[in-house]
Amino acid sequence: MDSNGLNICFIGHFTAGGTERATFLVANGLCNKYNIHIINTCNDNPTFELDERVGFDYLKSGNVITQILALKQYLRLKNIDILVSVESMLGIITVPATTMAHCKHVVWEHANYYQKNLVINGLKNLCIISLMVMFLIGLITLRCAMK
């Protein structure tokens, strides 16, 4: 990876679904121009093919405070300029970590939070995203219903 380029990191709870596949494809495409990292909060194995230039790391589970501090340390160690959270619910750890690390933060929401459990999860996600927007440089949604 080029030490002079922009350092972008994607973080998500990656298993083997469409969101994960999209993230890995974007990371593979961006690594031609930028330094790309992926942090998985689920396991320590990439779930899809990953270009050798893309850094892959695992954020071990633990309590929220431990994860915030570990992510903050990672962001500083890797000199991450932009953290892209692929799952809005990770905001509980990504917002404090990016704020402490002075790192720009983008949320890329793939799922439609109105789709399942509207009363509980939809409103919960909406509240979390509404609070997170104050700390983000961008919120990317893939569906018009989420605007």
Side-chain angles (χ1 to χ4, degrees), residues 48-103:
F48 291 98
E49 187 175 329
L50 204 53
D51 189 292
E52 62 184 21
R53 295 171 291 177
V54 176
F56 184 86
D57 290 288
Y58 169 55
L59 182 64
K60 294 183 174 125
S61 59
N63 67 49
V64 173
I65 301 297
T66 303
Q67 287 188 315
I68 291 169
L69 295 175
L71 180 57
K72 179 193 80 165
Q73 181 179 8
Y74 182 92
L75 297 173
R76 286 184 174 167
L77 180 69
K78 301 290 185 177
N79 296 313
I80 301 299
D81 299 300
I82 301 172
L83 179 70
V84 180
S85 178
V86 182
E87 187 177 330
S88 61
M89 296 304 286
L90 285 173
I92 196 165
I93 63 168
T94 59
V95 167
T98 54
T99 301
M100 290 187 293
H102 305 289
C103 177

Side-chain angles (χ1 to χ4, degrees), residues 1-2 25-36 51 53-54:
M1 287 182 261
D2 178 11
L25 287 171
V26 168
N28 286 337
L30 289 175
C31 75
N32 292 321
K33 188 171 182 181
Y34 305 106
N35 301 317
I36 304 297
D51 189 292
R53 295 171 291 177
V54 176

Side-chain angles (χ1 to χ4, degrees), residues 79-127:
N79 296 313
I80 301 299
D81 299 300
I82 301 172
L83 179 70
V84 180
S85 178
V86 182
E87 187 177 330
S88 61
M89 296 304 286
L90 285 173
I92 196 165
I93 63 168
T94 59
V95 167
T98 54
T99 301
M100 290 187 293
H102 305 289
C103 177
K104 293 177 182 172
H105 187 202
V106 173
V107 169
W108 181 18
E109 184 60 66
H110 288 252
N112 183 345
Y113 52 74
Y114 295 115
Q115 187 175 356
K116 293 183 182 176
N117 302 320
L118 173 63
V119 175
I120 298 171
N121 288 336
L123 292 176
K124 187 166 118 181
N125 284 1
L126 184 59
C127 289

